[in-house]
Amino acid sequence: MEPSYERFDSEAEYRAAIDFVLAQAHSSLQIFDYDLARMQLATPERAAFLANFLTANVSPQLRIIVREREGTGDIGRRLPRLMDQLEHYSHFFAIRQAPDNMLHLADCHVIADGQHCVRRFHIDHPRGALMANDPAEVFPWSQRFDELWELSKPWSGSRRLTL
């Protein structure tokens, strides 16, 4: 498939782009978001995408970084399906919390297999871009995610914190 870059300007287009990226994942998913709320990972459809990713692939790797501060919200309460998946697939799945010096970062992204990426430019605005079948374009965002991962700490709400 040819590489593509498509911009979007609405919540519906953002969620459609997330669904596309989740459906493409075979070996790795990297998610960087404030609190996972606008991604609507609690919907049955997105929970099914994640469950399929975790069960249908050999050694999948799901890594999530959240910026929400402890005590300001409850990801575990809002996303029970995600927490169930974390409990059952903790050997493939980890959540980390960004340190305080990353709270100013306002973008969000989901990356699948280093080839597909949906980026929301600012958490408060639905504008963003979908990059598909383009490892060269996605690489800087995947590399940035890895750097943020190293700087982040285990999320206190997760039962098992390492991959």
Side-chain angles (χ1 to χ4, degrees), residues 36-137:
L36 307 175
R38 289 192 174 106
M39 290 185 176
Q40 294 187 355
L41 293 178
T43 66
E45 298 82 17
R46 286 191 193 88
F49 276 127
L50 292 175
N52 184 59
F53 169 73
L54 291 167
T55 58
N57 299 301
V58 177
S59 300
Q61 184 181 62
L62 172 57
R63 297 186 298 163
I64 299 173
I65 302 171
V66 294
R67 292 188 303 274
E68 180 180 70
R69 302 288 15 116
E70 291 179 51
T72 60
D74 187 358
I75 293 171
R77 184 178 41 79
R78 280 186 283 109
L79 301 169
R81 288 184 185 101
L82 187 68
M83 294 303 103
D84 287 346
Q85 290 170 337
L86 177 57
E87 185 175 340
H88 290 98
Y89 302 105
S90 61
H91 49 296
F92 298 136
F93 180 0
I95 300 176
R96 295 182 66 92
Q97 186 170 2
D100 290 340
N101 65 344
M102 285 189 217
L103 291 178
H104 69 284
L105 299 176
D107 65 318
C108 309
H109 56 262
V110 179
I111 302 169
D113 301 338
Q115 296 186 60
H116 315 283
C117 177
V118 58
R119 289 196 59 239
R120 185 176 179 130
F121 302 142
H122 193 283
I123 193 161
D124 294 330
H125 309 287
R127 295 185 328 255
L130 171 63
M131 296 161 263
N133 304 306
D134 197 344
E137 187 73 28

Side-chain angles (χ1 to χ4, degrees), residues 3-20:
S4 68
Y5 184 95
E6 298 174 29
R7 300 224 18 188
F8 55 82
D9 295 310
S10 73
E11 292 289 343
E13 291 171 307
Y14 174 57
R15 289 191 190 88
I18 289 172
D19 291 344
F20 172 83

